[in-house]
Amino acid sequence: MSVLDPRAAPAAPAAPPDGTPPAPRRGRTGLFRALLANRKALFGAAVLVVFALLAVLAPVIAPGDPSKINSTGASEPSAAHPFGTTAKGQDVLALTLWGARSSLLVGFSVGLAATALAVLVGMAAAYFGRITDDLLSLITNVFLLVPGVPLLVILAAFMPPGTTTVILVLVITGWAGSARVLRAQAKSIRGKDFVAASVVSGERPLRIMFREILPNMASVVMTTLLGCVIFGIGAQAGLEFLGLGDASVVSWGTNLYWAGNDGALMTGAWWVFVPSGLCIALVAFALAMANYAVDEITNPRLRTRRTKAPAVTEALATPQAPAATEAPDVTEVRAAATKAPAAPQAPAVTRKES
C-alpha cells in the first residue's frame, strides 16, 4: 500500500523516548469532569439545586396564596409556623419559598440575557474591528461611564412596574462591563492562525465567530454568566427594597420591603427579614464558589500553583538531614592530620661555655 494511499490507516502517535504512553487529549467534557471533581463547584451546585427544588415545590410545601393577610399578627417561629408570621399574619416560610421563584427567575434571566448581549457586542467589535469596533466601544464606554445605580433607579421609576420591566432594566445596565472583558478575550483569539485560515477559506463571519472564536471563550463566558446572575439577584432585591419594583409580586426583595415598612427591625421581629436576606446571601455565595471553581480550572496560573502545592508540602514535611552529617569529614581530616609524619625539627643548638 502506497504512502499516499488515502485508505491507509492513520499512524498511531509515537511514544515518548522514555517509554511512557502519550497523554490522552482533553475533550470538551474535560471541563465538566473537572467541575465535578472540584469541591467548590459541587458545593455551589448543591446549594443551587436545593433552592431550585424548593422554588419548584413551593405550591406543594406551602399551598395557597402566600400574601394573604390574616388577623393573627406577628408571631415568633413555632410548630405551626416554622419561620413565624409577619405583622399582617402572613406565613414567612411561604413568603420565602414563593419568593425564591421570582428571585431565581429574574436572576437567571438577567444573567442569560446580559451575557448573550455582551457576547454579541464583544465578538462583533473584536472580529470586524475598525469602524464597528470604534462604534461599539463608544457605546460600551458610555454605559460604563454613566453611574449604574442612578440609571437603574431612573429607568425603574419611569417604566411600568412588573417582572419584565425589572429584567429589562437590569439587562440594560449590566451588560457593558462583561462586553468589555469579552471583547478583549475575543480580540486576542481573533489574531490566531486558525481564525485567519477560516477567513482565507471563505467561511462566513457568523460561523467563524460562533464556531471558532466562541468555543475558545467558554470559560470566560461561564464566569461572566455567573457574575451576571449574582448581579441580577442582588440588583432586583435592591430595587424592590427601595420600592421601585412591583410590590404585588412575592420575592425576596419585596419581603424585605414589607418588613421595613412594617417596622420589623424596630420591633425586633428578626424572623421576618432574616430568611429572605439569608437566602440572597446563600445563593450569591454558591454562585461565587462556582465562579471560583471555574477560574481555578481554566486559569493556567492557578492550575500550576495547585499542582506545585503538594510538592512544596511534601518538601516541607520531609525532615532535613542534620548538619552533623559533615562532621565525619572534619573528623577524618583531623585524624589524617594527626597520623601524618611530623616535620623534621631543626637540631638543637648548644651554647658553648666560654
Side-chain angles (χ1 to χ4, degrees), residues 34-46 289-290 293 296 306:
L35 287 175
L36 292 177
N38 191 286
R39 295 180 180 179
K40 296 179 181 178
L42 290 178
F43 172 79
M289 293 294 287
E296 285 183 359
R306 290 186 64 186

Side-chain angles (χ1 to χ4, degrees), residues 17-308:
D18 56 356
T20 57
R25 295 183 60 184
R26 188 175 180 179
R28 294 183 178 180
T29 58
L31 177 61
F32 297 99
R33 291 179 181 177
L35 287 175
L36 292 177
N38 191 286
R39 295 180 180 179
K40 296 179 181 178
L42 290 178
F43 172 79
V47 173
L48 293 177
V49 168
V50 169
F51 275 99
L53 290 177
L54 291 176
V56 172
L57 298 176
V60 179
I61 301 175
D65 186 7
S67 59
K68 182 180 180 180
I69 299 176
N70 300 317
S71 58
T72 56
S75 61
E76 296 183 0
S78 60
H81 303 283
F83 285 7
T85 58
T86 64
K88 300 183 179 71
Q90 300 165 337
D91 187 29
V92 178
L93 176 60
L95 292 175
T96 305
L97 293 177
W98 283 86
R101 299 167 68 93
S102 175
S103 296
L104 294 180
L105 174 63
V106 171
F108 280 94
S109 299
V110 170
L112 291 173
T115 303
L117 183 59
V119 167
L120 290 176
V121 173
M123 286 199 306
Y127 181 82
F128 295 105
R130 297 182 181 179
I131 299 177
T132 305
D133 188 12
D134 295 338
L135 181 60
L136 294 178
S137 297
L138 176 61
I139 298 174
T140 304
N141 292 334
V142 169
F143 277 91
L144 287 175
L145 291 175
V146 174
V149 176
L151 179 61
L152 197 65
V153 171
I154 292 172
L155 291 176
F158 285 94
M159 295 182 69
T163 304
T164 306
T165 299
V166 173
I167 295 175
L168 183 61
V169 169
L170 295 180
V171 171
I172 292 174
T173 57
W175 67 273
S178 303
R180 189 81 172 182
V181 176
L182 294 172
R183 171 188 171 275
Q185 184 70 15
K187 199 166 186 179
S188 64
I189 300 176
R190 176 67 173 84
K192 300 296 183 180
D193 294 338
F194 65 91
V195 177
S198 300
V199 174
V200 172
S201 62
E203 295 288 345
R204 293 176 297 176
L206 290 178
R207 181 179 177 84
I208 295 175
M209 287 191 292
F210 288 97
R211 295 294 299 272
E212 302 294 340
I213 298 178
L214 185 59
N216 292 279
M217 299 169 53
S219 60
V220 183
V221 173
M222 186 177 297
T223 303
T224 302
L225 174 62
L226 295 175
C228 290
V229 173
I230 296 175
F231 163 76
I233 295 176
Q236 183 212 15
L239 284 178
E240 292 176 344
F241 179 74
L242 295 175
L244 299 175
D246 190 359
S248 62
V249 176
V250 179
S251 68
W252 291 335
T254 55
N255 292 343
L256 297 177
Y257 168 74
W258 288 116
N261 281 357
D262 296 338
L265 184 60
M266 293 184 293
T267 58
W270 54 268
W271 59 87
V272 177
F273 57 86
V274 166
S276 296
L278 186 60
C279 288
I280 295 174
L282 285 176
V283 171
F285 180 68
L287 291 169
M289 293 294 287
N291 196 353
Y292 294 152
V294 173
D295 196 13
E296 285 183 359
I297 294 170
T298 58
N299 193 336
R301 295 181 180 179
L302 296 179
R303 284 206 309 268
T304 304
R305 291 177 184 176
R306 290 186 64 186
T307 53
K308 288 184 179 180

